Amino acid sequence: MADTVAGEVSTDDLLAWVRAFARLVEENREALTELDAAIGDADHGANMHRGTTAALAAVDGAPPASPGALAKKVGMTLVSTVGGASGPLYGTFFLRVGTALGDAATATPAEVVAALRAGIEGVVARGRAEAGDKTMVDALTPAVAAAEEALAAGRSWTEALTAAAGAAAAGRDATTAMVARKGRASYLGERSAGHQDPGATSAALLLAAAAETLLGRGAAGST
Amino acid sequence: MADTVAGEVSTDDLLAWVRAFARLVEENREALTELDAAIGDADHGANMHRGTTAALAAVDGAPPASPGALAKKVGMTLVSTVGGASGPLYGTFFLRVGTALGDAATATPAEVVAALRAGIEGVVARGRAEAGDKTMVDALTPAVAAAEEALAAGRSWTEALTAAAGAAAAGRDATTAMVARKGRASYLGERSAGHQDPGATSAALLLAAAAETLLGRGAAGST
Amino acid sequence: MKKLINDPADVVPEALAGIEAAHPDLRVDHANRVVYRADLPRPGKVGLLSGGGSGHEPLHGGFVGLGMLDAAIAGEVFTSPVPDQVLAATKLADSGAGVLHVVKNYTGDVMNFDMAAELAAAESGARVVSVVTDDDVAVQDSTWTAGRRGVGVTVLLEKIAGAAAEQGRSLDEVADVARRVNAAGRSMGVALTSCTVPAVGHPTFELGEDEMELGVGIHGEPGRERVPLAPARDIAAMLVEPVLSDLPFGRGDRVLCFVNGLGGTPLIELYVFYNEVQRILGGAGVEVARSLVGPYITSLDMAGTSVTLLRVDDELLSLWDAPVRTPALRWGI
Amino acid sequence: MKKLINDPADVVPEALAGIEAAHPDLRVDHANRVVYRADLPRPGKVGLLSGGGSGHEPLHGGFVGLGMLDAAIAGEVFTSPVPDQVLAATKLADSGAGVLHVVKNYTGDVMNFDMAAELAAAESGARVVSVVTDDDVAVQDSTWTAGRRGVGVTVLLEKIAGAAAEQGRSLDEVADVARRVNAAGRSMGVALTSCTVPAVGHPTFELGEDEMELGVGIHGEPGRERVPLAPARDIAAMLVEPVLSDLPFGRGDRVLCFVNGLGGTPLIELYVFYNEVQRILGGAGVEVARSLVGPYITSLDMAGTSVTLLRVDDELLSLWDAPVRTPALRWGI
Ligand SMILES: Nc1ncnc2c1ncn2[C@@H]1O[C@H](COP(=O)(O)OP(=O)(O)O)[C@@H](O)[C@H]1O
Ligand SMILES: Nc1ncnc2c1ncn2[C@@H]1O[C@H](COP(=O)(O)OP(=O)(O)O)[C@@H](O)[C@H]1O
Ligand SMILES: [Mg+2]
Ligand SMILES: [Mg+2]
Ligand SMILES: [Mg+2]
Ligand SMILES: [Mg+2]
């Protein structure tokens, strides 16, 4: 185990996050595919499962030296294994998170949230989706905004991540009513309304995993 | 209507027979196909229906001049419209019946039975099936034998045809237990046992039609 | 029944109209339902013709053209054509050098083609020779029965005999090549689903979700036995081994390996299956000299496959490689 | 699920192994799942490459060969390949004259090919130009959405651009031809049944016995609307009219008419359907200069069809007619 400074997010914390995300994806694999079958092509569960399994394998056992390096490795692995729309998007997300985190051995909660913000910007730059387009962006954006707000209001890291996970879930739920304007679901036009977006659903899992794990360590000294 | 000698079989009698056969085939079309689906290729109903409809159309309205000519016309039409195994066989049957009947304006019951015998010989020459091979021969042969016996025993034309129809039905029923050695059902080997042969079934309809119609006229003066 | 058709009774004539419209090299005699080469007659060339029930497309109409068939007769779905049709096609295909009838061994086909050959001899004096294919090892062979069905070898035979005819060989020589192909080829098939005959409207047989019909015919005839659904590698063994041991094919034999789709099976599955077949052949020391993978002799919408192996020598190979220009097989031109 | 496969997870690599075994002219980079011409590199020739999710066979691997693609990348079933794969294929296809990426317009495909092009430029300096096909008129076109899907035109574009590349034209010229094809082509499809993704194991959507999905995509994406099952002639009108009015095609236009099978529909039905399509075109005064009928861009085992019309001029026609030698399209050689 790497040494960690109390209240800072370590490489192990990120690894725990990735592990939890992979587990949640595995548990929800069929559900993600069913959502994608309704308005897409029935592969989102398989895609995310292949990718998170590979990403975890790439960093488990011998984790990279820093949170930033780990995030980059995860991003590269996702790009190289997922394919489809979600591969470049989740891949870019983690690559940008990694770049933002740099080489530091640990990161403060504020640095982590800033890195997540950079990740979203990467997703938007690559996919050009706006809020309300019925994509993963509709879960990611409110989640990071909620974390930013919580930290700005001086709330704890635990509270910030819990707020983020809650906002992601709410954003995911909100996609049900939306008419898709990006991704495969956009081909359906009005018929896409009434179905929850698969990518927003996996994004909510990503935030749920964060709330479940990062806080375990980070919580200790952050308030 | 052509003039007829009492007790003799006229062109109209043969026409009535063909009409009744066509009607029975129409009524049993699906049943014939289902039998063929079990041990063949699911077309016997369609084949016989196409053929008997065409044959009736060819002789209805303007019937040929003699029973023999009518039978030949029916045979030629069956050959030209049925296809499959049953087309050449039923076609040959009627062609041989027609040849045996010759040009005479009417035929005696004995002449008709002799012509049916010639018809069977044609079927066997073409298809080389023996008794017990699970084919139409298993209905046709006992039927004609029964008619021959009845006439030889001095029984009426009505009785002879009723016996023939009964023997055809019994022959048809007997095919259920048989293992096919000719036709498409032979590909199944032992698995063909337990299914009634479609061609024997249509042949029993042919004899039922004969009993139902030929006797109407022929009965009058034959006993 | 979910089919892209109009009235089930019109499927055959409408499909022929589609073939004619799609392929400018071909003509159709609509009255007799014969697809034939637009460039007939070809004086001095032996006419090659085949036909049978419809529902096996591209067989036979899709194999009409230079280097293969001169004419193909379309019967009703799964029903052999009638003698009048065969006679009309024989006349079209006869350029004076005689006509070879390629007939699949089904009672109906054999009888109808025979009657047509008798009529042709009587009417026009055209010399007709018939070669009957009977390569399906799923069927017990016996002189007491109708014998074996003609299946996949028919495609290979039409190509190879077609090349021989195109070279200007005599009727007897072409017939001889055709008989050699039939003698050196064996096939067996499997169905994962039934087919649905348009005029019937429901599947010919019912197969459970976990069952398949081993040794099925190309008309939905039941096969050797109903067995549990299995992975492609096991199915490959179930088909290839009976085929290998029947001829028998042996170590060092060169073969043309034909993995056929029955109509409802997509190409991706055929390639997965072909991979298993060639692996087994490799293990048996049989060398695959040529291969053909695709739906060439189908059974309407049936899901399934068949494997045909043809033992080849240099001559058969060079005839196989010779140019062919038909809707379904084309190369070298 | 009744499929001729082994483990659903192995379908793509095993199908590639089958393709490689069946086609001696082709090679497969198994690590990157790239099918490529055995005779690469071809110095001075623009490399033409395409790829996408698997499940559309013969697209794209079956179109690799002389006169068409140099390499094809196979993603997972219905999932675009990853940049690493595209990059590997780009290197294989690059003979110094640059590489054209033919990309079907799906968010995933576009992003993964873009990333690969960025990597290729950075790594090897290979010049890459992308042409995106987006011909599916079932999808509303809009700059606010992902735009239209790339479907049938992709096949025609690969052939025609392939011929241009084979003639030695420059990358910009080949890209220009490709863009002209995309601009002049429109498509629409219909599904009579769903497809079943191997890894999922059950149909992607449920269709009633009397329903069909109009405007369906090639990945089982739902279409424009679910409508009652109809006769072929009505379905032809439902597909051809939106296609005609979109470009729009007009009286006197010459077209290449491509009636495609979606995988589970047999050829006899495609010909019945083609007959209806060409009848409608005749009525509209559109001249069918060339036609293509068969399963060329499929959706696994989906029953259904799509119609693609491409407006052609003499140049496009002569490129279409130029020799091609691939597993799925071959003529003139
Ligand atoms: N342009 C985009 N921007 C952001 N997210 C997108 C975009 N396009 C698609 N997505 C997300 O990707 C998800 C689909 O991922 P997946 O099914 O793995 O890929 P594909 O659509 O290629 O099959 C969608 O549910 C949506 O959330
Ligand atoms: N060699 C034969 N001799 C006599 N009858 C035969 C022979 N072969 C087949 N049949 C009869 O033909 C019937 C099948 O006719 P049909 O289904 O119309 O033709 P096909 O088998 O060509 O599809 C069988 O049930 C059988 O009674
Ligand atoms: Mg998807
Ligand atoms: Mg039958
Ligand atoms: Mg039949
Ligand atoms: Mg996908």
Side-chain angles (χ1 to χ4, degrees), chain D residues 131-172:
Chain D
V131 172
V132 177
T133 60
D134 59 349
D135 52 310
D136 190 343
V137 305
V139 176
Q140 213 84 45
D141 201 5
S142 154
T143 48
W144 299 101
T145 66
R148 286 177 161 172
R149 294 179 290 232
V151 286
V153 151
T154 316
V155 176
L156 310 183
L157 186 155
E158 290 176 4
K159 167 67 186 83
I160 290 172
E166 206 71 55
Q167 286 179 352
R169 299 198 198 180
S170 73
L171 179 57
D172 288 331

Short mmCIF file of all heavy atoms in Angstrom, two decimals, chain D residues 131-172:
data_model
loop_
_atom_site.label_atom_id
_atom_site.label_comp_id
_atom_site.label_asym_id
_atom_site.label_seq_id
_atom_site.Cartn_x
_atom_site.Cartn_y
_atom_site.Cartn_z
N VAL D 131 -14.42 9.49 -45.06
CA VAL D 131 -15.70 9.78 -45.70
C VAL D 131 -16.76 9.04 -44.89
O VAL D 131 -16.61 7.84 -44.62
CB VAL D 131 -15.72 9.33 -47.17
CG1 VAL D 131 -17.13 9.48 -47.74
CG2 VAL D 131 -14.74 10.17 -47.96
N VAL D 132 -17.76 9.78 -44.48
CA VAL D 132 -18.80 9.20 -43.63
C VAL D 132 -20.06 8.98 -44.47
O VAL D 132 -20.52 9.89 -45.15
CB VAL D 132 -19.09 10.15 -42.44
CG1 VAL D 132 -20.23 9.59 -41.58
CG2 VAL D 132 -17.83 10.33 -41.60
N THR D 133 -20.61 7.76 -44.42
CA THR D 133 -21.85 7.49 -45.16
C THR D 133 -23.04 7.75 -44.24
O THR D 133 -23.03 7.39 -43.07
CB THR D 133 -21.91 6.03 -45.65
OG1 THR D 133 -21.83 5.14 -44.54
CG2 THR D 133 -20.76 5.73 -46.60
N ASP D 134 -24.06 8.37 -44.81
CA ASP D 134 -25.27 8.67 -44.01
C ASP D 134 -26.48 8.72 -44.93
O ASP D 134 -27.06 9.77 -45.17
CB ASP D 134 -25.10 9.98 -43.22
CG ASP D 134 -24.83 11.17 -44.12
OD1 ASP D 134 -24.57 10.99 -45.33
OD2 ASP D 134 -24.91 12.31 -43.62
N ASP D 135 -26.87 7.56 -45.39
CA ASP D 135 -27.86 7.46 -46.47
C ASP D 135 -29.24 7.02 -46.03
O ASP D 135 -30.14 6.88 -46.85
CB ASP D 135 -27.34 6.49 -47.53
CG ASP D 135 -26.91 5.14 -46.96
OD1 ASP D 135 -26.14 5.13 -45.99
OD2 ASP D 135 -27.35 4.11 -47.49
N ASP D 136 -29.45 6.78 -44.74
CA ASP D 136 -30.71 6.17 -44.30
C ASP D 136 -31.81 7.22 -44.13
O ASP D 136 -31.83 7.94 -43.13
CB ASP D 136 -30.49 5.43 -42.99
CG ASP D 136 -31.67 4.58 -42.59
OD1 ASP D 136 -32.78 4.79 -43.14
OD2 ASP D 136 -31.50 3.70 -41.75
N VAL D 137 -32.73 7.26 -45.07
CA VAL D 137 -33.76 8.31 -45.03
C VAL D 137 -34.80 8.06 -43.94
O VAL D 137 -35.65 8.92 -43.70
CB VAL D 137 -34.48 8.47 -46.38
CG1 VAL D 137 -33.47 8.73 -47.49
CG2 VAL D 137 -35.35 7.27 -46.71
N ALA D 138 -34.74 6.88 -43.31
CA ALA D 138 -35.69 6.64 -42.21
C ALA D 138 -35.42 7.59 -41.06
O ALA D 138 -36.29 7.84 -40.23
CB ALA D 138 -35.59 5.20 -41.73
N VAL D 139 -34.21 8.09 -41.00
CA VAL D 139 -33.83 8.98 -39.90
C VAL D 139 -33.93 10.42 -40.36
O VAL D 139 -33.43 10.80 -41.41
CB VAL D 139 -32.38 8.67 -39.45
CG1 VAL D 139 -31.95 9.64 -38.37
CG2 VAL D 139 -32.29 7.24 -38.95
N GLN D 140 -34.59 11.22 -39.55
CA GLN D 140 -34.69 12.65 -39.78
C GLN D 140 -33.29 13.23 -39.83
O GLN D 140 -32.47 12.94 -38.98
CB GLN D 140 -35.43 13.26 -38.58
CG GLN D 140 -36.29 14.45 -38.92
CD GLN D 140 -37.65 13.99 -39.43
OE1 GLN D 140 -38.24 13.11 -38.85
NE2 GLN D 140 -38.13 14.60 -40.53
N ASP D 141 -33.00 14.04 -40.82
CA ASP D 141 -31.67 14.63 -40.90
C ASP D 141 -31.67 15.97 -40.17
O ASP D 141 -32.61 16.75 -40.30
CB ASP D 141 -31.29 14.84 -42.36
CG ASP D 141 -29.79 14.96 -42.52
OD1 ASP D 141 -29.07 14.79 -41.51
OD2 ASP D 141 -29.33 15.20 -43.64
N SER D 142 -30.65 16.22 -39.40
CA SER D 142 -30.60 17.46 -38.63
C SER D 142 -29.21 17.66 -38.09
O SER D 142 -28.53 16.71 -37.70
CB SER D 142 -31.59 17.37 -37.46
OG SER D 142 -31.17 18.21 -36.40
N THR D 143 -28.77 18.91 -38.06
CA THR D 143 -27.44 19.18 -37.52
C THR D 143 -27.46 19.10 -36.00
O THR D 143 -26.42 19.07 -35.37
CB THR D 143 -26.97 20.58 -37.94
OG1 THR D 143 -28.03 21.50 -37.68
CG2 THR D 143 -26.62 20.61 -39.41
N TRP D 144 -28.65 19.05 -35.41
CA TRP D 144 -28.75 18.99 -33.96
C TRP D 144 -28.65 17.57 -33.42
O TRP D 144 -28.56 17.36 -32.23
CB TRP D 144 -30.09 19.58 -33.48
CG TRP D 144 -30.19 21.00 -33.88
CD1 TRP D 144 -30.88 21.52 -34.93
CD2 TRP D 144 -29.52 22.11 -33.25
NE1 TRP D 144 -30.70 22.87 -35.00
CE2 TRP D 144 -29.87 23.26 -33.97
CE3 TRP D 144 -28.66 22.22 -32.15
CZ2 TRP D 144 -29.38 24.52 -33.63
CZ3 TRP D 144 -28.19 23.48 -31.81
CH2 TRP D 144 -28.54 24.61 -32.55
N THR D 145 -28.72 16.60 -34.30
CA THR D 145 -28.70 15.21 -33.84
C THR D 145 -27.45 14.53 -34.40
O THR D 145 -26.58 15.17 -34.99
CB THR D 145 -29.94 14.45 -34.35
OG1 THR D 145 -29.85 14.35 -35.77
CG2 THR D 145 -31.22 15.18 -33.97
N ALA D 146 -27.40 13.21 -34.22
CA ALA D 146 -26.27 12.45 -34.76
C ALA D 146 -26.39 12.32 -36.27
O ALA D 146 -25.49 11.80 -36.92
CB ALA D 146 -26.23 11.08 -34.11
N GLY D 147 -27.49 12.80 -36.85
CA GLY D 147 -27.67 12.70 -38.30
C GLY D 147 -28.14 11.33 -38.71
O GLY D 147 -28.58 10.54 -37.88
N ARG D 148 -28.02 11.06 -40.00
CA ARG D 148 -28.53 9.82 -40.54
C ARG D 148 -27.53 8.68 -40.41
O ARG D 148 -26.33 8.90 -40.43
CB ARG D 148 -28.87 10.01 -42.01
CG ARG D 148 -30.11 10.81 -42.18
CD ARG D 148 -30.41 11.06 -43.63
NE ARG D 148 -31.81 11.44 -43.76
CZ ARG D 148 -32.36 11.88 -44.88
NH1 ARG D 148 -31.64 11.98 -45.98
NH2 ARG D 148 -33.63 12.19 -44.91
N ARG D 149 -28.08 7.48 -40.35
CA ARG D 149 -27.23 6.29 -40.30
C ARG D 149 -26.62 6.00 -41.67
O ARG D 149 -27.24 6.25 -42.71
CB ARG D 149 -28.07 5.07 -39.91
CG ARG D 149 -28.63 5.11 -38.52
CD ARG D 149 -29.46 3.88 -38.24
NE ARG D 149 -30.70 3.89 -38.99
CZ ARG D 149 -31.91 3.71 -38.47
NH1 ARG D 149 -32.04 3.51 -37.17
NH2 ARG D 149 -32.98 3.73 -39.23
N GLY D 150 -25.46 5.39 -41.67
CA GLY D 150 -24.87 4.87 -42.90
C GLY D 150 -25.31 3.44 -43.07
O GLY D 150 -25.14 2.61 -42.16
N VAL D 151 -25.91 3.13 -44.21
CA VAL D 151 -26.36 1.76 -44.45
C VAL D 151 -25.94 1.31 -45.85
O VAL D 151 -24.75 1.29 -46.16
CB VAL D 151 -27.89 1.60 -44.18
CG1 VAL D 151 -28.16 1.59 -42.67
CG2 VAL D 151 -28.71 2.68 -44.86
N GLY D 152 -26.90 0.96 -46.72
CA GLY D 152 -26.61 0.30 -48.00
C GLY D 152 -25.61 1.00 -48.90
O GLY D 152 -24.84 0.35 -49.61
N VAL D 153 -25.62 2.31 -48.89
CA VAL D 153 -24.70 3.04 -49.77
C VAL D 153 -23.25 2.66 -49.49
O VAL D 153 -22.40 2.71 -50.38
CB VAL D 153 -24.93 4.57 -49.63
CG1 VAL D 153 -23.65 5.34 -49.91
CG2 VAL D 153 -26.05 5.02 -50.57
N THR D 154 -22.98 2.26 -48.26
CA THR D 154 -21.61 1.89 -47.88
C THR D 154 -21.06 0.82 -48.81
O THR D 154 -19.90 0.88 -49.23
CB THR D 154 -21.61 1.39 -46.42
OG1 THR D 154 -22.42 2.26 -45.63
CG2 THR D 154 -20.21 1.34 -45.87
N VAL D 155 -21.87 -0.17 -49.14
CA VAL D 155 -21.43 -1.25 -50.02
C VAL D 155 -21.06 -0.69 -51.40
O VAL D 155 -19.99 -1.00 -51.95
CB VAL D 155 -22.55 -2.31 -50.20
CG1 VAL D 155 -22.13 -3.38 -51.20
CG2 VAL D 155 -22.91 -2.93 -48.85
N LEU D 156 -21.95 0.14 -51.93
CA LEU D 156 -21.73 0.67 -53.28
C LEU D 156 -20.52 1.59 -53.29
O LEU D 156 -19.71 1.57 -54.21
CB LEU D 156 -22.99 1.41 -53.74
CG LEU D 156 -24.30 0.63 -53.57
CD1 LEU D 156 -25.48 1.43 -54.12
CD2 LEU D 156 -24.23 -0.75 -54.22
N LEU D 157 -20.38 2.36 -52.22
CA LEU D 157 -19.25 3.29 -52.12
C LEU D 157 -17.93 2.51 -52.06
O LEU D 157 -16.95 2.89 -52.71
CB LEU D 157 -19.44 4.15 -50.87
CG LEU D 157 -18.46 5.29 -50.65
CD1 LEU D 157 -19.11 6.37 -49.80
CD2 LEU D 157 -17.19 4.81 -49.96
N GLU D 158 -17.92 1.44 -51.28
CA GLU D 158 -16.67 0.68 -51.17
C GLU D 158 -16.26 0.12 -52.52
O GLU D 158 -15.08 0.10 -52.87
CB GLU D 158 -16.81 -0.42 -50.10
CG GLU D 158 -16.90 0.17 -48.69
CD GLU D 158 -17.14 -0.84 -47.58
OE1 GLU D 158 -17.18 -2.06 -47.84
OE2 GLU D 158 -17.30 -0.39 -46.42
N LYS D 159 -17.26 -0.34 -53.29
CA LYS D 159 -16.94 -0.87 -54.62
C LYS D 159 -16.43 0.24 -55.55
O LYS D 159 -15.41 0.07 -56.25
CB LYS D 159 -18.19 -1.52 -55.23
CG LYS D 159 -18.10 -1.82 -56.73
CD LYS D 159 -17.07 -2.89 -57.04
CE LYS D 159 -16.87 -3.10 -58.54
NZ LYS D 159 -15.93 -2.12 -59.13
N ILE D 160 -17.13 1.34 -55.57
CA ILE D 160 -16.83 2.38 -56.55
C ILE D 160 -15.54 3.12 -56.18
O ILE D 160 -14.67 3.34 -57.03
CB ILE D 160 -18.04 3.33 -56.68
CG1 ILE D 160 -19.19 2.57 -57.38
CG2 ILE D 160 -17.67 4.60 -57.45
CD1 ILE D 160 -20.51 3.31 -57.41
N ALA D 161 -15.39 3.45 -54.92
CA ALA D 161 -14.15 4.10 -54.49
C ALA D 161 -12.98 3.12 -54.62
O ALA D 161 -11.85 3.51 -54.94
CB ALA D 161 -14.26 4.60 -53.05
N GLY D 162 -13.28 1.84 -54.40
CA GLY D 162 -12.25 0.81 -54.55
C GLY D 162 -11.72 0.77 -55.98
O GLY D 162 -10.51 0.63 -56.20
N ALA D 163 -12.62 0.90 -56.93
CA ALA D 163 -12.20 0.90 -58.33
C ALA D 163 -11.36 2.14 -58.63
O ALA D 163 -10.36 2.07 -59.34
CB ALA D 163 -13.43 0.84 -59.24
N ALA D 164 -11.78 3.28 -58.07
CA ALA D 164 -11.02 4.52 -58.28
C ALA D 164 -9.62 4.40 -57.70
O ALA D 164 -8.63 4.81 -58.32
CB ALA D 164 -11.77 5.71 -57.66
N ALA D 165 -9.53 3.80 -56.52
CA ALA D 165 -8.21 3.62 -55.90
C ALA D 165 -7.35 2.67 -56.74
O ALA D 165 -6.16 2.90 -56.94
CB ALA D 165 -8.36 3.10 -54.48
N GLU D 166 -7.99 1.62 -57.23
CA GLU D 166 -7.25 0.63 -58.02
C GLU D 166 -6.69 1.25 -59.30
O GLU D 166 -5.66 0.82 -59.82
CB GLU D 166 -8.16 -0.55 -58.34
CG GLU D 166 -7.46 -1.87 -58.58
CD GLU D 166 -6.87 -2.47 -57.30
OE1 GLU D 166 -7.62 -2.65 -56.31
OE2 GLU D 166 -5.66 -2.74 -57.28
N GLN D 167 -7.39 2.27 -59.81
CA GLN D 167 -6.91 2.96 -61.02
C GLN D 167 -5.71 3.86 -60.74
O GLN D 167 -5.18 4.48 -61.67
CB GLN D 167 -8.03 3.85 -61.59
CG GLN D 167 -9.14 3.10 -62.28
CD GLN D 167 -10.21 4.06 -62.79
OE1 GLN D 167 -10.17 5.25 -62.49
NE2 GLN D 167 -11.14 3.54 -63.57
N GLY D 168 -5.36 3.99 -59.47
CA GLY D 168 -4.19 4.81 -59.14
C GLY D 168 -4.53 6.26 -58.87
O GLY D 168 -3.63 7.11 -58.83
N ARG D 169 -5.79 6.57 -58.66
CA ARG D 169 -6.12 7.97 -58.36
C ARG D 169 -5.58 8.39 -56.99
O ARG D 169 -5.30 7.54 -56.14
CB ARG D 169 -7.65 8.15 -58.38
CG ARG D 169 -8.26 7.83 -59.73
CD ARG D 169 -9.65 8.41 -59.86
NE ARG D 169 -10.37 7.76 -60.94
CZ ARG D 169 -11.62 8.07 -61.28
NH1 ARG D 169 -12.29 9.00 -60.60
NH2 ARG D 169 -12.22 7.43 -62.26
N SER D 170 -5.47 9.68 -56.80
CA SER D 170 -4.92 10.21 -55.55
C SER D 170 -5.93 10.11 -54.42
O SER D 170 -7.13 9.91 -54.66
CB SER D 170 -4.53 11.68 -55.74
OG SER D 170 -5.72 12.46 -55.79
N LEU D 171 -5.45 10.30 -53.21
CA LEU D 171 -6.33 10.21 -52.05
C LEU D 171 -7.49 11.21 -52.15
O LEU D 171 -8.65 10.87 -51.90
CB LEU D 171 -5.51 10.48 -50.77
CG LEU D 171 -6.28 10.45 -49.45
CD1 LEU D 171 -7.00 9.12 -49.25
CD2 LEU D 171 -5.33 10.71 -48.27
N ASP D 172 -7.18 12.43 -52.58
CA ASP D 172 -8.26 13.42 -52.68
C ASP D 172 -9.27 13.02 -53.76
O ASP D 172 -10.47 13.21 -53.59
CB ASP D 172 -7.68 14.81 -52.97
CG ASP D 172 -6.97 15.37 -51.73
OD1 ASP D 172 -7.38 14.99 -50.61
OD2 ASP D 172 -6.02 16.15 -51.90
#
